[in-house]
Amino acid sequence: MKTKKIAALLIGLFSFSIISAQEMPDRKETLKTIVKVNDYFMKKYSDYRTPSYVNKVIRPSNIWTRGVYYEGLMALYSIYPRDDYYKYANDWSEYHEWGFRNGTITRNADDYCASQTYIDLYNICPNPEKIRKAKANIDMLVNTPQVNDWWWIDAIQMGMPVFAKLGRLTGEQKYFDKMWDMYEYTRNVHGENGMYNEKEGLWWRDQDFDPPYKEPNGKNCYWSRGNGWVYAALVRVLDEIPANEQHRTNYINDFLTMSKALKDCQRKDGFWNVSLHDESNFGGKETSGTALFVYGMAWGVRNGLLDKKEYLPILLKAWNAMVKEAVHPNGFLGYVQGTGKEPKDSQPVTYDKVPDFEDFGVGCFLLAGSEVYKLED
């Protein structure tokens, strides 16, 4: 019996030493870092009305890239409610008349991603006009039979939380039901047998990367940020749906399986490669995917779904690496892969390179930092 007690004590001390090896950041320093990154962005893009002009295409400032940024800003506002944050988000929403590129008839999740922020702002200061178009758009999706709109996995994050937020806001089950139908189709049906490889716990970005497509090293192609989008979506949905929602266990199981898969392929320096299973295919530090994984893991630890001893060292190693190696003194965020769909896109990814869109990377980082800040409670 004494031997067993000694063994248990040694195991406990070993687990503590692993966590201690990754120092929990000071709460004030975490806030200082995310505020610095956000202030850099808000100063550079002070005119929220300015459309983007990338690859000779003009896009309004309420597309998905900016929508993700505002998701991060609202997360920051939830822990540090500065008036200028609220104004920056509210003015942007009012400028776009609480609507979307391509209007309320759009089926493209990249368009209605902005609804996540519109609903958050409504919850702070209710006004029916803030969510009128968001509700009209999602009601159209609910009332039509198609379930194959999310054919690329990024769309799961852009669209799925909107259904969850509206379901919670209205109390209507139809939003949760349609959300599951669309998720389940992408997961299990789209392409040959769905975009999710349950055996390996990771997602193909779209059917172009289904087997027999392989990475140069012969393994399946799992794009870091694409998997980050799904991982973040699961967190954002679980944060909204009721404890007794019939598919909550399904979402939790996918979250847990993904968490283990992601833990197993983290780089030694704390980041994740753009290609999760092939470090030879444009390998190197990448911030946006890493931030989304930190966001999910921190949320999972804080909510008791992930074991603290197992996952806290993983997420702290990643967070500390981003703060140390990706955040510039002026708040610019380095090592962000620009837009694309696979490892080779928007390369090279470096410390100094400005991505084609700066907004979504900042949003991912703000989501991660806000969760790490909450974790420190």
Side-chain angles (χ1 to χ4, degrees), residues 4-146:
K4 289 183 178 180
K5 287 182 177 179
I6 293 173
L9 178 61
L10 290 173
I11 291 172
L13 289 171
F14 178 69
S15 299
F16 177 77
S17 68
I18 292 175
I19 295 174
S20 299
Q22 286 301 323
E23 193 174 317
M24 178 68 81
D26 179 77
R27 204 160 184 251
K28 292 181 179 178
E29 288 301 312
T30 297
L31 182 60
K32 182 179 177 181
T33 299
I34 54 181
V35 166
K36 177 172 68 173
V37 170
N38 184 65
D39 284 353
Y40 166 85
F41 181 85
M42 281 181 57
K43 182 178 179 180
K44 184 173 181 178
Y45 297 93
S46 58
D47 189 350
Y48 48 81
R49 302 168 300 176
T50 305
S52 62
Y53 184 69
V54 177
N55 296 325
K56 299 181 179 181
V57 177
I58 297 176
R59 300 174 179 85
S61 67
N62 61 345
I63 60 168
W64 71 270
T65 64
R66 196 58 58 92
V68 170
Y69 163 73
Y70 280 106
E71 291 173 39
L73 180 63
M74 296 308 294
L76 173 56
Y77 181 79
S78 73
I79 62 170
Y80 191 51
R82 272 176 34 177
D83 289 345
D84 57 336
Y85 295 167
Y86 178 85
K87 186 177 188 314
Y88 192 60
N90 197 73
D91 288 353
W92 168 77
S93 303
E94 288 187 341
Y95 172 73
H96 290 292
E97 298 179 342
W98 307 90
F100 328 106
R101 176 182 66 168
N102 301 316
T104 58
I105 62 170
T106 183
R107 304 192 70 92
N108 189 324
D110 284 352
D111 291 344
Y112 59 81
C113 173
S115 293
Q116 296 189 48
T117 297
Y118 299 160
I119 296 169
D120 287 348
L121 290 168
Y122 172 89
N123 287 331
I124 295 171
C125 184
N127 179 339
E129 185 59 25
K130 294 180 179 179
I131 60 168
R132 180 178 63 82
K133 292 177 181 178
K135 190 173 184 302
N137 174 242
I138 301 302
D139 282 346
M140 179 272 294
L141 297 176
V142 167
N143 294 326
T144 51
Q146 295 96 318

